[in-house]
Amino acid sequence: MRSSGRRGSSARGAARRRRCAALLCALLVALASSAAGQPGACVTGASADGGVIDLTVPVQAGMPVWNGPSGLGRNWRALSEAHDQGDVVNKSFLYLDAHTGTHIDAPVHFLPGAGAMESLPLPALIGPADVVDVAADTNITAEVLEGAAIPRDAARLLFRTQNTRRALMGRSGFVTDFVGLDATAARWLAEQRPGVVLVGIDYLTIGAMYDIVETHKTLFRTGTVIVEGLNLTSVPAGRHHLTCLPLLLVGSDGSPARCILTRGDRGML
Amino acid sequence: MRSSGRRGSSARGAARRRRCAALLCALLVALASSAAGQPGACVTGASADGGVIDLTVPVQAGMPVWNGPSGLGRNWRALSEAHDQGDVVNKSFLYLDAHTGTHIDAPVHFLPGAGAMESLPLPALIGPADVVDVAADTNITAEVLEGAAIPRDAARLLFRTQNTRRALMGRSGFVTDFVGLDATAARWLAEQRPGVVLVGIDYLTIGAMYDIVETHKTLFRTGTVIVEGLNLTSVPAGRHHLTCLPLLLVGSDGSPARCILTRGDRGML
């Protein structure tokens, strides 16, 4: 049988590492919950599995949701068929906001009549991406971008901010003092880095709280894809190969997505 | 503004091609629906966008669903906020079977207590994949596989069958005479091609109708990832680079996925 092959042993090793990480995480969350008096979602460092770094926040009860005080409820998934009820399969049904967790916005989210998820060009979602550290705990303005040494040939930018250092994507309670891009930053990108086709950030919206609408509109008008809710913990700054794939939800203003980094410009084989 | 840049023009071209394809498809579906007396879902050839071939069936009303006579209903997506109701955003809420359209099964779908979606190793979902044409309209047996010239070093196999030629993923009505792998084929893979980490097929289940449970269980027991509901129309047979990413749904027995092919072994940059 194939369990003795290279795949068997590497798959077992990976599974063991995932189980250990999950156990450690559950322990940390239990401790944090007991201290903070609220349930927590488990987001440890982005997992690196065979050269792939997963930037996706796991969809599970307690993960933060927009404007919600206690995170995603337990009823986001329900078994319509179940082994323990005598059924042949476990079969889940999903109840999810299209903007749950790590997700992509479509232009029609903010621009009436604009494109939905099926309008997003796949090539924008795949290719070289620069992870940019934003050291300060201020919002990202044109001035911040000016000082951030963003490469002239940047095509995709993932901003790792104070949101990551505060582990906001691992905290159930929604906060309003997150870091985002203000409208001056969105305009700076359009003017100074016209080659940028995608921007991503480490909390539930790309926009600074005081500029959410304007920032989204400016980015959408220049055709920029917006990725939100990324887990950028432990990802080295610098250039990687991004693949960020949303579902193909026709007419939808957003979709949960799976986003990964592979090594270097050429991706992983 | 950046609309005059290379990205603007290529994005416009891609958007125009998508609009044309959508229009043509709508026309074909209208004609087919009128002839067949049932609504149809629109699946034309897999779209190739900048070197990326999308193998994902669009999630939309009328797409085929397991055991359903008339496909996915219109209520799979609802606007919880809407521009035309005076809201700042369009915001969708999703109601979906975890096995909708192009999707991935987790072992716990058929094996009680086995791994859920978070257990799937990312490296299995990314890498060289062989598209294998199965000419006959019979189910895929060990004998069929023996004659299919499957490379000895195959790691991922996508079976293009009579299901594609009958355009079953574009037909709303569920059929039971689809082509799938029977248990002898699942065992053949385990014994003859132990390097295979993923198999995919062009209808809603990997298993032949008379062997669904056994085929799934055999594949899961050998650690093989199962992708179902692929759109393999117009994809050249031979070796490509597959990236097939499901959502990271903790505890779930399945997830809709976005699956793409890029050119050659090295992927697209």
Side-chain angles (χ1 to χ4, degrees), chain A:
Chain A
M1 296 300 291
R2 74 177 71 179
S3 62
S4 59
R6 63 172 169 74
R7 179 169 61 107
S9 58
S10 73
R12 276 199 304 277
R16 201 176 309 123
R17 284 192 296 278
R18 275 193 298 278
R19 278 197 300 275
C20 286
L23 194 66
L24 183 64
C25 191
L27 200 68
L28 289 171
V29 163
L31 288 169
S33 303
S34 131
Q38 63 175 2
C42 202
V43 179
T44 51
S47 72
D49 193 350
V52 188
I53 300 175
D54 198 346
L55 306 182
T56 316
V57 174
V59 176
Q60 58 188 333
M63 73 188 302
V65 297
W66 183 258
N67 226 2
S70 53
L72 187 67
R74 297 197 174 280
N75 299 327
W76 67 272
R77 183 176 67 83
L79 287 172
S80 60
E81 296 176 59
H83 298 304
D84 64 11
Q85 300 295 311
D87 296 315
V88 175
V89 293
N90 264 11
K91 192 171 178 189
S92 291
F93 202 88
L94 313 173
Y95 306 85
L96 285 172
D97 189 313
H99 301 260
T100 296
T102 306
H103 70 278
I104 293 182
D105 287 352
V108 73
H109 187 35
F110 276 91
L111 300 178
M117 289 308 295
E118 70 275 19
S119 75
L120 300 185
L122 277 169
L125 303 169
I126 306 161
D130 295 291
V131 174
V132 178
D133 261 317
V134 180
D137 63 354
T138 57
N139 279 299
I140 301 172
T141 61
E143 199 179 346
V144 169
L145 290 179
E146 195 69 60
I150 295 172
R152 291 245 155 233
D153 66 345
R156 297 165 194 81
L157 294 171
L158 308 182
F159 294 105
R160 184 172 50 201
T161 76
Q162 184 77 348
N163 303 332
T164 291
R165 289 182 289 277
R166 294 173 68 197
L168 295 187
M169 287 306 297
R171 187 191 293 193
S172 296
F174 179 70
V175 303
T176 55
D177 60 346
F178 56 80
V179 168
L181 274 69
D182 77 1
T184 68
R187 285 193 292 272
W188 185 92
L189 285 173
E191 289 158 13
Q192 301 299 319
R193 294 296 183 276
V196 170
V197 293
L198 177 148
V199 292
I201 202 157
D202 49 2
Y203 199 50
L204 289 165
T205 179
I206 191 73
M209 191 66 188
Y210 59 86
D211 250 356
I212 286 177
V213 176
E214 195 51 33
T215 295
H216 276 86
K217 286 185 171 178
T218 301
L219 291 169
F220 283 140
R221 284 187 184 122
T222 53
T224 311
V225 173
I226 296 173
V227 187
E228 298 170 336
L230 289 165
N231 175 14
L232 298 179
T233 321
S234 319
V235 180
R239 187 156 290 184
H240 304 262
H241 184 90
L242 175 74
T243 304
C244 191
L245 297 181
L247 303 182
L248 188 50
L249 305 178
V250 175
S252 186
D253 41 84
S255 172
R258 189 73 176 264
C259 299
I260 60 170
L261 291 181
T262 44
R263 288 189 190 124
D265 274 7
R266 304 289 298 172
M268 191 213 61
L269 294 183

